[in-house]
């Protein structure tokens, strides 16, 4: 049994050490998750989270059983709305960010994603506030659960003597949920629907369960902080963002591949590229195919996606390098996403 285990470990090490490829990561600028039309530079920010209709009884029950004060949801929603508006005001593309008055529209269903506003309502708000798009917090809700536990502790008695006592511990887990929409007024399109879920945990202790719950501190502040982050994060959905992507390149098949690998590991990618370029004319088709593939890597590193596609396509079509086909599709997808990115950055 022990011999078998050692064999598996040695086999894993051997296979890892003999891999034909090595990996690298690149920082890539991706288009924003949501694209606004080029002409939109005046927007409104509103909250529909205040319930309307016949949801009063449900709201009251929710407040009792979820341990939230009557103000917690309204404060959290206002914080999210304000944070979003503040962040949009820092975006250079907008010349106007209006805060639409609370109560202009209500959520007819408490704590759930309501049906979108009618376009008549959207157009009325657009005219009143002179905006071309509306960012709306469609609903906002907090729900809390309490868990109790006890532990033995020593406390000081009336005569200054330490005596055993039972301490009650309470932990309150609060789920904060919000749902957003973006309305494009002229196109009459809902550009985005997005739900955020976050969790806040606070705890306290006391001589009995009631005192333990009273001792739970910082819950309102924690919910406010999460709510602010929700608004800031939603603003990021219209902003291009950087992400890390993983690529593989060949390091085996010829001694020069290993030399190129050492150059790459020190950050000398141009030096590695010089070696790979020499190997593209090698008489061994496998080596030449791998070199063409690697030239695609260096071209992508240098930001020339068209050249990268040319190298990788040749690696697959002329030399039959199988990895090149998947990489070709990755590069073609990057080209398409870059076209969208260029459109967004031209606004």
């Amino acid at each position: 049994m022990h011999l078998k285990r050692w064999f598996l470990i040695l086999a894993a090490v051997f296979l890892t050490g003999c891999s034909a490829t090595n990996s690298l990561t690149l920082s890539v600028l991706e288009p924003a998750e949501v694209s606004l039309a080029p002409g939109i530079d005046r927007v409104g920010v509103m909250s529909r989270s205040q319930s309307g209709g016949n949801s009063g009884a449900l709201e009251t029950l929710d407040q009792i059983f979820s341990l939230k004060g009557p103000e917690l949801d309204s404060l959290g929603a206002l914080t999210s709305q304000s944070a979003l508006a503040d962040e949009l005001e820092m975006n250079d593309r907008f010349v106007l960010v209006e805060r639409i008055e609370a109560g202009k529209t209500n959520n007819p269903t408490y704590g759930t994603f309501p049906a979108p506003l009618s376009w008549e309502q959207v157009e009325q708000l657009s005219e009143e506030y002179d905006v071309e798009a509306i960012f709306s917090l469609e609903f906002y809700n907090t729900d809390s659960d309490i868990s109790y536990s006890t532990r033995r502790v020593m406390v000081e008695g009336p005569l200054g003597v330490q005596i055993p006592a039972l301490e009650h511990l309470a932990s309150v887990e609060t789920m904060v949920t919000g749902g957003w929409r973006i309305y494009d007024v002229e196109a009459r399109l809902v550009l985005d629907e997005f739900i955020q879920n976050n969790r806040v945990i606070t705890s306290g202790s006391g001589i009995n369960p009631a005192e333990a719950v009273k001792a739970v501190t910082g819950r309102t502040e924690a919910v406010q902080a999460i709510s602010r982050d929700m608004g800031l994060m939603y603003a990021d959905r219209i902003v291009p963002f950087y992400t890390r992507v993983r690529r593989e390149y060949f390091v085996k098949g010829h001694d020069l591949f290993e030399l190129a690998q050492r150059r790459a590991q020190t950050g000398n990618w141009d030096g590695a590229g010089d070696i790979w370029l020499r190997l593209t004319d090698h008489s061994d088709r496998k080596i030449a195919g791998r070199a063409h593939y690697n030239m695609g890597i260096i071209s992508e590193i240098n930001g020339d996606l068209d050249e990268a596609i040319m190298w990788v396509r040749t690696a697959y079509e002329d030399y039959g390098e199988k990895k090149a086909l998947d990489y070709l599709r990755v590069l073609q997808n990057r080209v398409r996403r870059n076209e969208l990115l260029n459109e967004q950055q031209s606004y």
Side-chain angles (χ1 to χ4, degrees):
M1 186 67 180
H2 292 297
L3 289 175
K4 183 178 179 181
R5 184 180 302 161
W6 274 109
F7 174 79
L8 292 174
I9 293 172
L10 290 172
V13 172
F14 177 77
L15 290 173
T16 302
C18 292
S19 174
T21 61
N22 199 2
S23 63
L24 71 145
T25 59
L26 297 174
S27 183
V28 172
L29 185 61
E30 291 283 349
E33 298 291 341
V34 181
S35 294
L36 300 181
I40 293 178
D41 59 10
R42 306 172 68 86
V43 298
V45 180
M46 62 177 290
S47 172
R48 296 178 66 195
S49 61
Q50 180 179 346
S51 62
N54 298 318
S55 62
L58 174 61
E59 190 171 358
T60 301
L61 287 173
D62 183 64
Q63 289 171 0
I64 293 173
F65 289 108
S66 68
L67 294 174
K68 68 185 178 195
E71 304 275 327
L72 188 58
D73 277 8
S74 58
L75 286 173
L78 178 60
T79 299
S80 287
Q81 178 188 1
S82 297
L84 173 61
D86 291 344
E87 193 71 5
L88 294 180
E89 286 177 338
M90 297 176 63
N91 191 318
D92 292 338
R93 73 166 290 166
F94 299 121
V95 298
L96 175 70
V97 177
E98 280 282 7
R99 289 161 170 78
I100 295 176
E101 181 183 341
K104 286 292 183 181
T105 58
N106 284 331
N107 181 347
T109 57
Y110 178 69
T112 60
F113 224 141
L117 293 170
S118 71
W119 289 110
E120 289 72 20
Q121 290 175 298
V122 173
E123 288 166 356
Q124 181 178 354
L125 291 171
S126 171
E127 287 185 18
E128 181 176 352
Y129 288 90
D130 190 23
V131 295
E132 300 145 337
I134 295 174
F135 290 70
S136 175
L137 178 58
E138 299 284 278
F139 79 93
Y140 177 98
N141 188 44
T142 57
D143 284 300
S144 299
D145 290 320
I146 300 180
S147 61
Y148 290 105
S149 62
T150 59
R151 66 182 178 184
R152 293 286 178 180
V153 296
M154 300 298 291
V155 299
E156 187 174 332
L159 301 177
V161 179
Q162 294 289 313
I163 60 174
L166 191 65
E167 183 180 45
H168 293 261
L169 307 173
S171 177
V172 180
E173 180 180 12
T174 304
M175 293 299 299
V176 184
T177 307
W180 302 86
R181 285 193 179 104
I182 301 176
Y183 297 87
D184 182 331
V185 181
E186 182 177 354
R188 285 197 163 199
L189 288 174
V190 175
L191 299 178
D192 189 38
E193 291 184 338
F194 188 71
I195 294 179
Q196 296 170 313
N197 293 287
N198 296 276
R199 183 177 67 164
V200 175
I201 297 178
T202 51
S203 59
S205 61
I207 60 173
N208 56 53
E211 290 299 318
V213 172
K214 289 181 182 178
V216 173
T217 58
R219 178 166 167 264
T220 298
E221 291 79 5
V223 169
Q224 292 293 90
I226 285 291
S227 300
R228 181 177 182 275
D229 289 343
M230 288 167 63
L232 297 177
M233 290 173 62
Y234 192 67
D236 288 341
R237 286 182 65 77
I238 64 166
V239 179
F241 62 97
Y242 280 97
T243 188
R244 301 294 295 182
V245 297
R246 184 174 177 271
R247 300 287 186 259
E248 290 187 346
Y249 62 98
F250 286 102
V251 297
K252 299 289 185 180
H254 192 284
D255 290 345
L256 289 178
F257 275 122
E258 296 180 13
L259 173 60
Q261 179 189 11
R262 292 195 295 273
R263 291 185 179 183
Q265 288 173 332
T266 64
N268 183 11
W269 288 100
D270 289 337
D274 291 340
I275 294 175
W276 294 335
L277 182 60
R278 286 161 53 189
L279 291 175
T280 58
D281 291 328
H282 201 279
S283 58
D284 186 318
R285 294 177 57 79
K286 183 176 182 179
I287 294 173
R290 290 183 172 185
H292 276 78
Y293 176 99
N294 282 7
M295 287 304 297
I297 293 289
I298 195 67
S299 297
E300 185 181 14
I301 290 174
N302 291 331
D304 193 336
L305 295 182
D306 291 334
E307 184 178 84
I309 286 174
M310 181 272 293
W311 283 113
V312 176
R313 177 179 281 123
T314 302
Y316 179 73
E317 292 180 352
D318 294 358
Y319 296 94
E321 175 49 58
K322 295 179 181 179
K323 284 184 177 291
L325 183 58
D326 288 337
Y327 186 28
L328 177 62
R329 290 168 178 161
V330 169
L331 291 170
Q332 290 171 334
N333 183 56
R334 272 208 66 194
V335 168
R336 288 190 292 269
R337 294 183 67 78
N338 271 6
E339 290 172 354
L340 176 58
L341 177 63
N342 292 335
E343 289 179 11
Q344 292 176 349
Q345 293 182 322
S346 67
Y347 298 164

